[in-house]
Amino acid sequence: MNLTLRVWRQKNANSPGRFETYEARNILEDMSFLEMLDVVNEELIQRGQEPIAFDSDCREGICGMCSLVINGIPHGGRRGTATCQLHMRHFKDGDTITIEPWRARAFPLIKDLVVDRSAFDRIIQAGGFISVNTGGTPDGNAIPVPKPDADAAMDAAACIGCGACVAVCKNASAMLFVAAKVSHLNLLPQGKVEKDRRALNMVRQMDAEGFGNCTVTGSCEAVCPKEISLSFIAKLNRDYGLATLKGK
Amino acid sequence: MTLDSKIPSGPIAQKWDKHRFDLKLVNPANKRKFEILVVGSGLAGASAAATLGELGYRVKCFCFQDSPRRAHSIAAQGGINAAKNYQNDGDSIYRLFYDTIKGGDFRAREANVYRLAQVSVNIIDQCVAQGVPFAREYGGLLANRSFGGAQVSRTFYARGQTGQQLLLGAYQALCRQISLGTVQMYPRTEMLDLVVIDGHAKGIVVRDLISGRISSHAGDAVVLATGGYGNVFFLSTNAKGSNVTATWRAYKKGAFFANPCYTQIHPTCIPVSGEHQSKLTLMSESLRNDGRVWVPKRKEDCGKPPTSIPESDRDYYLERKYPSFGNLAPRDISSRAAKEVCDEGRGVGPGGLGVYLDFADAIRRLGVDKIRERYGNLFDMYEKITGENAYETPMRIYPAVHYTMGGTWVDYNLMSTIPGLFVIGEANFSDHGANRLGASALMQGLADGYFILPYTIGHYFASSKQFRPPTDHPEFRKSEEEIRAMTNRLLSVRGKRTVTSLHRELGKLLWEKCGMARNEAGLREALRRIPELRDEFCRTVNVTGESGELNQALEYAGRVADFMEFAELLCLDALHREESCGGHFRTEHQTPDGEAKRNDDQFAYVAAWEYKGPDRQPEMHREPLIYEEVQMSTRSYK
Amino acid sequence: MKVVTNIFGSSLGKKYVMAISGAVLFLFLIGHLAGNLQIFLGPDVINRYGHLLQSNPELIWPARLFLLLMLVLHVWSAARLTIENRAARPMRYAQYTPLAASYASRTMMMSGLIVFTFIIYHLLHYTVRVKAINLTGQDFAGPEFQTPIKGLIGEHQHDVYRMMIVGFSNFWVSAFYILGMALLSLHLSHGISAMFQSLGWKNRVYGPFLDRAARVVAILIFLGYVSIPVAILLGYGKEAL
């Protein structure tokens, strides 16, 4: 199939960006979206032009490095699918596809479709861990964890930190990410010890990074490649509120 | 130079304890005077950086991804082994040790493997305390599953995302140290050279991938945790960015490279669908617990829809050849068996490069819900990629390059032949011999990072003179100049071919001549073709853009340039090893029924290669493998 | 002090302020509706209710001030959050497909602003009783809207019943009222469930039920309020005109 791409090109953070139009020819339906871009880039290089810069690494939907807002939807809008696992069989010959980077103040643009998501790392550094040093930990079976709690923690921990929740949210809010990270640890007995501190510190950092607020539209849940539930945001709200009431 | 593996004396079960006592310590107050450079932030790198930070060292950690959480350890699906014997099924440290040695086809260093099995139990405790959400039983205790190459259930798992969860545990520990100021993190930064001063590793030269700036970092020791070299084959289950650059450049500075020919081909990957393919996707080995592998008995049936082929016309070749392990035969054996049937022309799918993995029996026996519960995410992934519903039609799978057992040679302390250069995780060669068992890579990465390196690195500091050169030392200047020159060279060619096309050509050559089955003629052919291809790369590569900006084409070109050199060493090692063992199968050396034939008399050693200069043959050094504890035997899974 | 900064300084805290003030205003809406619906029980009942409220300023004024404070907090938090949310995405998407987000959730600010305008009009209309805006030419504060209190000779009370009948018999007033209630209902259909979410009183088990319940309650409130102008326009209470 042949496609027309409208791709956001921007040399760096300081120069203005614009859409460029490219033809993607002879695209096979077995190709992934990123492989389609690889094909376009190969042609660009052969013509001596600079290829489109975009992030990707594992290309199997787990590292969270790939991004791209495709036709107005982060990761292209197939349920539970990251861009690297989106395949061209979901597009039709002759389609025009608009490709934009994640847009949020907290994710400054680096080049073309590549953005800086280090704000997420700083949120984890603010409290997204359990403070144990290596060694001296009790036996793995010393603390029984009820299966439903372990399963719920795993549901939250499945987050790949891609930032699609921020990209899709009309307020560029990072609540789903922060909620997933806080819930993962706060649900487990090991993590309960620092429950209050964690919620307060991570939310403080989230605010400092310049993300927007949650207005509960639910679009984050809908685009999340790991289908993280909005109910974790409720849990974060609860944990933060309780921590606040305790005067922590 | 003779290789000293520094294996402690004494009975195997006491070696590590004894060694830990013998290791010199660094006074806690003095630790902060030492600066350690950790390259890579996967399981090994992140766990090492975090633990060293906790101990009080000053650590700098580098990764080329935009966040340390994205290292490719994250993609490991199945699980992590540990000799906990929680299932009361007869497991023990000794059994894990023995299984790993046997799985590695008696080409691993015995003392290292025993230590790995010992430490495995601490890893689980550590990860649980960090909040890794391992699968649990209803009673609240940890659940286990079984895995290829073992007859006990010792694999701990977190759904199909064990690697992700373990990496997040290590990453979180790392983040804690970053916030405490003991670790400084440098994401989107790629190591391009190792700096050796007075025979000791004293620093690295890196490129900031955003600004393109080349800079130097000096340290008292350098730790490489940069993963394996599977991407030399172009198509592999590795991430797009995985590369050999760090260990290769260390090799060129004097760190011996061991056993590069030991490459693991994973049997259950989604087959290649065309030329455009950029990477291969693994389907967890756990699928083989319930799936049955088959191909049609007759070539003529290969094009037919699989469900129309009657039972009597199907060849369940793994069950036929290995009745006791059946579909759970180890990775190298299953992969080779798939290749064999495809070579006979009985492969299915595009190009005849695939075999069926059929769940029809399991669905009939357990019901579709049970199968969905066990493997739902894998079936979904398969459908995303192929567009086929594996509940109705069998999956098509084919082997793909997955893991590399070879790597930088290290001694028992995980130190390379360059003092002060430590290499951990998949980047070193130490624990898996010629073949790695499933669920053991995560175990090794974390063992090295959490529980081994933090002890042994202190010994190095305590027993050598402390000297940290300034980054304007002539050696740093020289390295930086070399890197700049290399970068400019790549950017100035402006030839006709893209990096990808050259990489793909190299990969194809290696896959054909040095893949699942190798022979002398093919390897010689590869050794003739690789320098030609390298030459073509130098003459015709087209790298666009500039050096002072984010330039992904340039990053990639640098990595492929190293693969072009490394491929030769890989083939050289494969050519010299005149035997078949584990992931290295030489067609000249097989039993009459097609099984690998080891040659213990001549090849029971680690081949460690020393760089001798750009146009000179590297020199091979032998580290004999002496088995004090186990008897070498023929590996049989029949 | 930390409690105060956590609540008024953080993003989550501002959402609590919005949720709690919203909850109070929501409870008021229910009480107010219960009061208004007494119109269907005849003039005596609703006038007695009106008199009860108006003759107890020591109760009614604190309540009014409290509601006003809640309204201010609700509007303040909405304004703060909106400013922050705008700032969080300085560069808009060229193409943007809102996924899963309901119309109500995306238009809270707009529905809120219109409802706010309506509230001001409504207060001037029936509470302050500004003659110029009721469009009927009659003075709701005048003596013609006083009625004798049964059993108390010489005492008068405000004829709430007649005021409502007269007020809503103007088509445009009723139309604006119905529009205001429609937008309020839209606002509530998202607001009620979001309130539970923001306060953390929601989970996967009863969360979906709450979402549905919020929509049902919003519709019921709409029907309840709108039943009055609709009934009057259809001729209910004609005799009082």
mmCIF file of all heavy atoms in Angstrom, chain C residues 25-37 39-40 118 122 164 168 177-178 180-182 184-185 188 218-231:
data_model
loop_
_atom_site.group_PDB
_atom_site.id
_atom_site.type_symbol
_atom_site.label_atom_id
_atom_site.label_comp_id
_atom_site.label_asym_id
_atom_site.label_seq_id
_atom_site.Cartn_x
_atom_site.Cartn_y
_atom_site.Cartn_z
ATOM 1 N N LEU C 25 -22.268 21.730 47.419
ATOM 2 C CA LEU C 25 -23.200 22.374 46.490
ATOM 3 C C LEU C 25 -24.196 21.349 45.942
ATOM 4 O O LEU C 25 -25.361 21.660 45.733
ATOM 5 C CB LEU C 25 -22.426 23.040 45.347
ATOM 6 C CG LEU C 25 -21.537 24.217 45.782
ATOM 7 C CD1 LEU C 25 -20.641 24.679 44.652
ATOM 8 C CD2 LEU C 25 -22.387 25.371 46.309
ATOM 9 N N PHE C 26 -23.724 20.119 45.752
ATOM 10 C CA PHE C 26 -24.604 19.052 45.267
ATOM 11 C C PHE C 26 -25.685 18.732 46.315
ATOM 12 O O PHE C 26 -26.866 18.612 45.990
ATOM 13 C CB PHE C 26 -23.767 17.815 44.946
ATOM 14 C CG PHE C 26 -24.565 16.582 44.692
ATOM 15 C CD1 PHE C 26 -25.386 16.479 43.567
ATOM 16 C CD2 PHE C 26 -24.515 15.507 45.577
ATOM 17 C CE1 PHE C 26 -26.135 15.334 43.337
ATOM 18 C CE2 PHE C 26 -25.259 14.367 45.349
ATOM 19 C CZ PHE C 26 -26.067 14.274 44.223
ATOM 20 N N LEU C 27 -25.253 18.670 47.583
ATOM 21 C CA LEU C 27 -26.235 18.402 48.643
ATOM 22 C C LEU C 27 -27.247 19.541 48.727
ATOM 23 O O LEU C 27 -28.448 19.324 48.913
ATOM 24 C CB LEU C 27 -25.528 18.208 49.990
ATOM 25 C CG LEU C 27 -24.704 16.925 50.091
ATOM 26 C CD1 LEU C 27 -23.971 16.860 51.429
ATOM 27 C CD2 LEU C 27 -25.587 15.691 49.903
ATOM 28 N N PHE C 28 -26.748 20.774 48.556
ATOM 29 C CA PHE C 28 -27.656 21.913 48.546
ATOM 30 C C PHE C 28 -28.683 21.764 47.421
ATOM 31 O O PHE C 28 -29.878 22.019 47.612
ATOM 32 C CB PHE C 28 -26.871 23.213 48.378
ATOM 33 C CG PHE C 28 -27.749 24.378 47.989
ATOM 34 C CD1 PHE C 28 -28.578 24.990 48.926
ATOM 35 C CD2 PHE C 28 -27.788 24.842 46.681
ATOM 36 C CE1 PHE C 28 -29.416 26.035 48.569
ATOM 37 C CE2 PHE C 28 -28.624 25.884 46.309
ATOM 38 C CZ PHE C 28 -29.444 26.481 47.255
ATOM 39 N N LEU C 29 -28.209 21.331 46.253
ATOM 40 C CA LEU C 29 -29.102 21.167 45.108
ATOM 41 C C LEU C 29 -30.242 20.227 45.437
ATOM 42 O O LEU C 29 -31.395 20.466 45.066
ATOM 43 C CB LEU C 29 -28.347 20.584 43.917
ATOM 44 C CG LEU C 29 -27.545 21.557 43.064
ATOM 45 C CD1 LEU C 29 -26.808 20.797 41.986
ATOM 46 C CD2 LEU C 29 -28.467 22.611 42.456
ATOM 47 N N ILE C 30 -29.928 19.166 46.167
ATOM 48 C CA ILE C 30 -30.959 18.196 46.517
ATOM 49 C C ILE C 30 -31.953 18.818 47.494
ATOM 50 O O ILE C 30 -33.179 18.744 47.319
ATOM 51 C CB ILE C 30 -30.325 16.917 47.097
ATOM 52 C CG1 ILE C 30 -29.553 16.223 45.985
ATOM 53 C CG2 ILE C 30 -31.387 16.001 47.686
ATOM 54 C CD1 ILE C 30 -28.870 14.960 46.376
ATOM 55 N N GLY C 31 -31.423 19.517 48.511
ATOM 56 C CA GLY C 31 -32.287 20.176 49.488
ATOM 57 C C GLY C 31 -33.176 21.218 48.818
ATOM 58 O O GLY C 31 -34.386 21.287 49.059
ATOM 59 N N HIS C 32 -32.573 21.997 47.970
ATOM 60 C CA HIS C 32 -33.270 23.058 47.265
ATOM 61 C C HIS C 32 -34.385 22.471 46.389
ATOM 62 O O HIS C 32 -35.504 23.002 46.337
ATOM 63 C CB HIS C 32 -32.253 23.825 46.415
ATOM 64 C CG HIS C 32 -32.782 25.074 45.784
ATOM 65 N ND1 HIS C 32 -33.490 26.037 46.483
ATOM 66 C CD2 HIS C 32 -32.707 25.548 44.511
ATOM 67 C CE1 HIS C 32 -33.809 27.034 45.679
ATOM 68 N NE2 HIS C 32 -33.364 26.761 44.464
ATOM 69 N N LEU C 33 -34.067 21.381 45.757
ATOM 70 C CA LEU C 33 -35.058 20.724 44.895
ATOM 71 C C LEU C 33 -36.235 20.235 45.739
ATOM 72 O O LEU C 33 -37.399 20.440 45.380
ATOM 73 C CB LEU C 33 -34.416 19.548 44.147
ATOM 74 C CG LEU C 33 -35.357 18.718 43.278
ATOM 75 C CD1 LEU C 33 -35.943 19.580 42.159
ATOM 76 C CD2 LEU C 33 -34.626 17.521 42.683
ATOM 77 N N ALA C 34 -35.881 19.608 46.889
ATOM 78 C CA ALA C 34 -36.942 19.113 47.765
ATOM 79 C C ALA C 34 -37.858 20.268 48.183
ATOM 80 O O ALA C 34 -39.085 20.136 48.203
ATOM 81 C CB ALA C 34 -36.324 18.447 48.993
ATOM 82 N N GLY C 35 -37.254 21.421 48.465
ATOM 83 C CA GLY C 35 -38.040 22.592 48.830
ATOM 84 C C GLY C 35 -38.914 23.052 47.675
ATOM 85 O O GLY C 35 -40.133 23.246 47.832
ATOM 86 N N ASN C 36 -38.318 23.193 46.523
ATOM 87 C CA ASN C 36 -39.046 23.720 45.368
ATOM 88 C C ASN C 36 -40.221 22.841 44.965
ATOM 89 O O ASN C 36 -41.258 23.344 44.541
ATOM 90 C CB ASN C 36 -38.112 23.845 44.155
ATOM 91 C CG ASN C 36 -37.130 24.983 44.329
ATOM 92 O OD1 ASN C 36 -37.144 25.654 45.367
ATOM 93 N ND2 ASN C 36 -36.283 25.185 43.348
ATOM 94 N N LEU C 37 -40.016 21.532 45.057
ATOM 95 C CA LEU C 37 -41.060 20.626 44.580
ATOM 96 C C LEU C 37 -42.342 20.748 45.406
ATOM 97 O O LEU C 37 -43.407 20.280 44.992
ATOM 98 C CB LEU C 37 -40.557 19.182 44.573
ATOM 99 C CG LEU C 37 -39.552 18.860 43.444
ATOM 100 C CD1 LEU C 37 -39.042 17.443 43.576
ATOM 101 C CD2 LEU C 37 -40.166 19.086 42.063
ATOM 102 N N ILE C 39 -44.031 23.108 45.601
ATOM 103 C CA ILE C 39 -44.986 23.910 44.825
ATOM 104 C C ILE C 39 -46.155 23.040 44.380
ATOM 105 O O ILE C 39 -47.279 23.504 44.243
ATOM 106 C CB ILE C 39 -44.299 24.590 43.634
ATOM 107 C CG1 ILE C 39 -45.242 25.645 43.021
ATOM 108 C CG2 ILE C 39 -43.898 23.583 42.565
ATOM 109 C CD1 ILE C 39 -44.619 26.507 41.960
ATOM 110 N N PHE C 40 -45.870 21.772 44.168
ATOM 111 C CA PHE C 40 -46.932 20.878 43.703
ATOM 112 C C PHE C 40 -47.882 20.475 44.843
ATOM 113 O O PHE C 40 -48.862 19.797 44.619
ATOM 114 C CB PHE C 40 -46.340 19.630 43.032
ATOM 115 C CG PHE C 40 -45.611 19.967 41.753
ATOM 116 C CD1 PHE C 40 -44.250 19.736 41.619
ATOM 117 C CD2 PHE C 40 -46.299 20.530 40.674
ATOM 118 C CE1 PHE C 40 -43.600 20.052 40.450
ATOM 119 C CE2 PHE C 40 -45.639 20.851 39.514
ATOM 120 C CZ PHE C 40 -44.288 20.605 39.386
ATOM 121 N N PHE C 118 -25.892 31.511 35.265
ATOM 122 C CA PHE C 118 -27.279 31.224 35.600
ATOM 123 C C PHE C 118 -27.547 31.457 37.077
ATOM 124 O O PHE C 118 -28.572 32.044 37.459
ATOM 125 C CB PHE C 118 -27.632 29.780 35.219
ATOM 126 C CG PHE C 118 -28.963 29.360 35.771
ATOM 127 C CD1 PHE C 118 -30.147 29.754 35.152
ATOM 128 C CD2 PHE C 118 -29.044 28.615 36.949
ATOM 129 C CE1 PHE C 118 -31.367 29.398 35.692
ATOM 130 C CE2 PHE C 118 -30.261 28.261 37.487
ATOM 131 C CZ PHE C 118 -31.432 28.650 36.852
ATOM 132 N N HIS C 122 -30.285 33.756 38.673
ATOM 133 C CA HIS C 122 -31.293 33.104 39.495
ATOM 134 C C HIS C 122 -31.410 33.793 40.861
ATOM 135 O O HIS C 122 -32.509 34.010 41.371
ATOM 136 C CB HIS C 122 -30.904 31.636 39.659
ATOM 137 C CG HIS C 122 -31.943 30.787 40.313
ATOM 138 N ND1 HIS C 122 -33.172 30.554 39.747
ATOM 139 C CD2 HIS C 122 -31.934 30.092 41.490
ATOM 140 C CE1 HIS C 122 -33.873 29.756 40.531
ATOM 141 N NE2 HIS C 122 -33.146 29.461 41.605
ATOM 142 N N MET C 164 -43.324 32.106 41.908
ATOM 143 C CA MET C 164 -42.817 31.070 41.003
ATOM 144 C C MET C 164 -43.719 30.949 39.787
ATOM 145 O O MET C 164 -43.246 30.836 38.656
ATOM 146 C CB MET C 164 -42.708 29.729 41.735
ATOM 147 C CG MET C 164 -41.526 29.690 42.688
ATOM 148 S SD MET C 164 -41.570 28.265 43.781
ATOM 149 C CE MET C 164 -40.948 26.979 42.722
ATOM 150 N N PHE C 168 -42.137 31.879 36.188
ATOM 151 C CA PHE C 168 -41.910 30.886 35.141
ATOM 152 C C PHE C 168 -42.918 30.956 33.997
ATOM 153 O O PHE C 168 -42.759 30.277 32.996
ATOM 154 C CB PHE C 168 -41.907 29.473 35.732
ATOM 155 C CG PHE C 168 -40.646 29.163 36.484
ATOM 156 C CD1 PHE C 168 -40.689 28.726 37.800
ATOM 157 C CD2 PHE C 168 -39.409 29.317 35.869
ATOM 158 C CE1 PHE C 168 -39.522 28.445 38.483
ATOM 159 C CE2 PHE C 168 -38.242 29.031 36.556
ATOM 160 C CZ PHE C 168 -38.291 28.602 37.868
ATOM 161 N N TYR C 177 -33.890 28.981 32.294
ATOM 162 C CA TYR C 177 -33.840 28.089 33.464
ATOM 163 C C TYR C 177 -33.590 26.643 33.027
ATOM 164 O O TYR C 177 -32.755 25.935 33.575
ATOM 165 C CB TYR C 177 -35.160 28.198 34.233
ATOM 166 C CG TYR C 177 -35.179 27.448 35.545
ATOM 167 C CD1 TYR C 177 -34.772 28.066 36.722
ATOM 168 C CD2 TYR C 177 -35.657 26.131 35.623
ATOM 169 C CE1 TYR C 177 -34.809 27.391 37.931
ATOM 170 C CE2 TYR C 177 -35.688 25.456 36.823
ATOM 171 C CZ TYR C 177 -35.267 26.088 37.981
ATOM 172 O OH TYR C 177 -35.303 25.413 39.165
ATOM 173 N N ILE C 178 -34.329 26.227 31.996
ATOM 174 C CA ILE C 178 -34.172 24.842 31.532
ATOM 175 C C ILE C 178 -32.772 24.619 30.972
ATOM 176 O O ILE C 178 -32.119 23.612 31.253
ATOM 177 C CB ILE C 178 -35.257 24.505 30.482
ATOM 178 C CG1 ILE C 178 -36.624 24.490 31.181
ATOM 179 C CG2 ILE C 178 -34.975 23.170 29.797
ATOM 180 C CD1 ILE C 178 -37.804 24.435 30.229
ATOM 181 N N GLY C 180 -30.097 26.279 31.830
ATOM 182 C CA GLY C 180 -29.196 26.251 32.987
ATOM 183 C C GLY C 180 -29.206 24.887 33.653
ATOM 184 O O GLY C 180 -28.157 24.329 33.996
ATOM 185 N N MET C 181 -30.406 24.316 33.813
ATOM 186 C CA MET C 181 -30.518 23.006 34.466
ATOM 187 C C MET C 181 -29.901 21.897 33.602
ATOM 188 O O MET C 181 -29.295 20.960 34.104
ATOM 189 C CB MET C 181 -31.992 22.669 34.751
ATOM 190 C CG MET C 181 -32.614 23.488 35.866
ATOM 191 S SD MET C 181 -31.676 23.384 37.410
ATOM 192 C CE MET C 181 -30.965 25.006 37.454
ATOM 193 N N ALA C 182 -30.052 22.046 32.284
ATOM 194 C CA ALA C 182 -29.478 21.035 31.389
ATOM 195 C C ALA C 182 -27.967 21.024 31.541
ATOM 196 O O ALA C 182 -27.335 19.964 31.663
ATOM 197 C CB ALA C 182 -29.873 21.325 29.943
ATOM 198 N N LEU C 184 -26.280 22.170 34.055
ATOM 199 C CA LEU C 184 -25.968 21.728 35.420
ATOM 200 C C LEU C 184 -25.963 20.201 35.469
ATOM 201 O O LEU C 184 -25.075 19.579 36.054
ATOM 202 C CB LEU C 184 -27.002 22.279 36.399
ATOM 203 C CG LEU C 184 -26.837 21.831 37.851
ATOM 204 C CD1 LEU C 184 -25.545 22.390 38.426
ATOM 205 C CD2 LEU C 184 -28.014 22.285 38.705
ATOM 206 N N SER C 185 -26.950 19.639 34.782
ATOM 207 C CA SER C 185 -27.050 18.188 34.763
ATOM 208 C C SER C 185 -25.846 17.569 34.060
ATOM 209 O O SER C 185 -25.272 16.577 34.522
ATOM 210 C CB SER C 185 -28.347 17.796 34.059
ATOM 211 O OG SER C 185 -28.339 16.437 33.760
ATOM 212 N N LEU C 188 -23.024 17.813 36.394
ATOM 213 C CA LEU C 188 -23.128 16.829 37.482
ATOM 214 C C LEU C 188 -22.842 15.417 37.004
ATOM 215 O O LEU C 188 -22.286 14.603 37.738
ATOM 216 C CB LEU C 188 -24.522 16.876 38.101
ATOM 217 C CG LEU C 188 -24.829 18.104 38.959
ATOM 218 C CD1 LEU C 188 -26.279 18.050 39.418
ATOM 219 C CD2 LEU C 188 -23.901 18.167 40.164
ATOM 220 N N ALA C 218 -27.917 12.778 37.929
ATOM 221 C CA ALA C 218 -27.896 14.050 37.200
ATOM 222 C C ALA C 218 -29.190 14.217 36.416
ATOM 223 O O ALA C 218 -29.777 15.306 36.383
ATOM 224 C CB ALA C 218 -26.690 14.087 36.256
ATOM 225 N N ILE C 219 -29.655 13.145 35.811
ATOM 226 C CA ILE C 219 -30.893 13.228 35.019
ATOM 227 C C ILE C 219 -32.095 13.461 35.942
ATOM 228 O O ILE C 219 -32.963 14.290 35.651
ATOM 229 C CB ILE C 219 -31.069 11.955 34.175
ATOM 230 C CG1 ILE C 219 -30.017 11.951 33.058
ATOM 231 C CG2 ILE C 219 -32.474 11.885 33.574
ATOM 232 C CD1 ILE C 219 -29.902 10.653 32.312
ATOM 233 N N LEU C 220 -32.101 12.763 37.085
ATOM 234 C CA LEU C 220 -33.209 12.939 38.025
ATOM 235 C C LEU C 220 -33.276 14.379 38.519
ATOM 236 O O LEU C 220 -34.350 14.971 38.619
ATOM 237 C CB LEU C 220 -33.061 11.982 39.209
ATOM 238 C CG LEU C 220 -33.333 10.497 38.900
ATOM 239 C CD1 LEU C 220 -33.097 9.652 40.142
ATOM 240 C CD2 LEU C 220 -34.764 10.333 38.384
ATOM 241 N N ILE C 221 -32.115 14.952 38.811
ATOM 242 C CA ILE C 221 -32.092 16.341 39.282
ATOM 243 C C ILE C 221 -32.614 17.262 38.182
ATOM 244 O O ILE C 221 -33.420 18.174 38.435
ATOM 245 C CB ILE C 221 -30.658 16.721 39.711
ATOM 246 C CG1 ILE C 221 -30.355 16.013 41.031
ATOM 247 C CG2 ILE C 221 -30.492 18.245 39.841
ATOM 248 C CD1 ILE C 221 -29.049 16.375 41.659
ATOM 249 N N PHE C 222 -32.199 16.990 36.964
ATOM 250 C CA PHE C 222 -32.672 17.786 35.834
ATOM 251 C C PHE C 222 -34.196 17.703 35.730
ATOM 252 O O PHE C 222 -34.891 18.722 35.662
ATOM 253 C CB PHE C 222 -32.019 17.292 34.543
ATOM 254 C CG PHE C 222 -32.570 17.922 33.297
ATOM 255 C CD1 PHE C 222 -32.255 19.237 32.971
ATOM 256 C CD2 PHE C 222 -33.423 17.211 32.458
ATOM 257 C CE1 PHE C 222 -32.765 19.829 31.831
ATOM 258 C CE2 PHE C 222 -33.946 17.801 31.320
ATOM 259 C CZ PHE C 222 -33.616 19.114 31.002
ATOM 260 N N LEU C 223 -34.697 16.469 35.769
ATOM 261 C CA LEU C 223 -36.149 16.274 35.630
ATOM 262 C C LEU C 223 -36.886 16.965 36.759
ATOM 263 O O LEU C 223 -37.907 17.622 36.556
ATOM 264 C CB LEU C 223 -36.481 14.791 35.602
ATOM 265 C CG LEU C 223 -36.000 14.045 34.345
ATOM 266 C CD1 LEU C 223 -36.314 12.556 34.456
ATOM 267 C CD2 LEU C 223 -36.631 14.639 33.080
ATOM 268 N N GLY C 224 -36.356 16.836 37.970
ATOM 269 C CA GLY C 224 -37.000 17.436 39.131
ATOM 270 C C GLY C 224 -37.120 18.942 38.981
ATOM 271 O O GLY C 224 -38.205 19.516 39.111
ATOM 272 N N TYR C 225 -36.020 19.592 38.696
ATOM 273 C CA TYR C 225 -36.041 21.047 38.595
ATOM 274 C C TYR C 225 -36.882 21.520 37.415
ATOM 275 O O TYR C 225 -37.649 22.467 37.517
ATOM 276 C CB TYR C 225 -34.606 21.588 38.462
ATOM 277 C CG TYR C 225 -33.927 21.773 39.793
ATOM 278 C CD1 TYR C 225 -32.920 20.919 40.224
ATOM 279 C CD2 TYR C 225 -34.303 22.834 40.628
ATOM 280 C CE1 TYR C 225 -32.299 21.093 41.441
ATOM 281 C CE2 TYR C 225 -33.683 23.019 41.848
ATOM 282 C CZ TYR C 225 -32.679 22.147 42.262
ATOM 283 O OH TYR C 225 -32.082 22.335 43.471
ATOM 284 N N VAL C 226 -36.707 20.833 36.290
ATOM 285 C CA VAL C 226 -37.362 21.289 35.074
ATOM 286 C C VAL C 226 -38.868 21.055 35.124
ATOM 287 O O VAL C 226 -39.635 21.746 34.462
ATOM 288 C CB VAL C 226 -36.682 20.596 33.873
ATOM 289 C CG1 VAL C 226 -37.555 20.670 32.655
ATOM 290 C CG2 VAL C 226 -35.344 21.243 33.601
ATOM 291 N N SER C 227 -39.290 20.108 35.967
ATOM 292 C CA SER C 227 -40.718 19.807 36.035
ATOM 293 C C SER C 227 -41.523 21.055 36.418
ATOM 294 O O SER C 227 -42.662 21.232 35.985
ATOM 295 C CB SER C 227 -40.967 18.684 37.051
ATOM 296 O OG SER C 227 -40.634 19.149 38.336
ATOM 297 N N ILE C 228 -40.885 21.972 37.198
ATOM 298 C CA ILE C 228 -41.625 23.143 37.678
ATOM 299 C C ILE C 228 -41.945 24.130 36.541
ATOM 300 O O ILE C 228 -43.111 24.391 36.268
ATOM 301 C CB ILE C 228 -40.870 23.815 38.845
ATOM 302 C CG1 ILE C 228 -40.719 22.794 39.986
ATOM 303 C CG2 ILE C 228 -41.598 25.073 39.318
ATOM 304 C CD1 ILE C 228 -39.750 23.206 41.061
ATOM 305 N N PRO C 229 -40.923 24.664 35.816
ATOM 306 C CA PRO C 229 -41.279 25.579 34.727
ATOM 307 C C PRO C 229 -42.122 24.911 33.650
ATOM 308 O O PRO C 229 -43.021 25.550 33.090
ATOM 309 C CB PRO C 229 -39.922 26.014 34.165
ATOM 310 C CG PRO C 229 -38.935 25.045 34.675
ATOM 311 C CD PRO C 229 -39.477 24.520 35.966
ATOM 312 N N VAL C 230 -41.855 23.630 33.396
ATOM 313 C CA VAL C 230 -42.619 22.945 32.356
ATOM 314 C C VAL C 230 -44.094 22.878 32.767
ATOM 315 O O VAL C 230 -44.994 23.212 31.997
ATOM 316 C CB VAL C 230 -42.055 21.546 32.084
ATOM 317 C CG1 VAL C 230 -43.004 20.726 31.228
ATOM 318 C CG2 VAL C 230 -40.687 21.648 31.403
ATOM 319 N N ALA C 231 -44.343 22.485 34.034
ATOM 320 C CA ALA C 231 -45.723 22.386 34.516
ATOM 321 C C ALA C 231 -46.413 23.745 34.449
ATOM 322 O O ALA C 231 -47.566 23.864 34.035
ATOM 323 C CB ALA C 231 -45.726 21.858 35.947
#
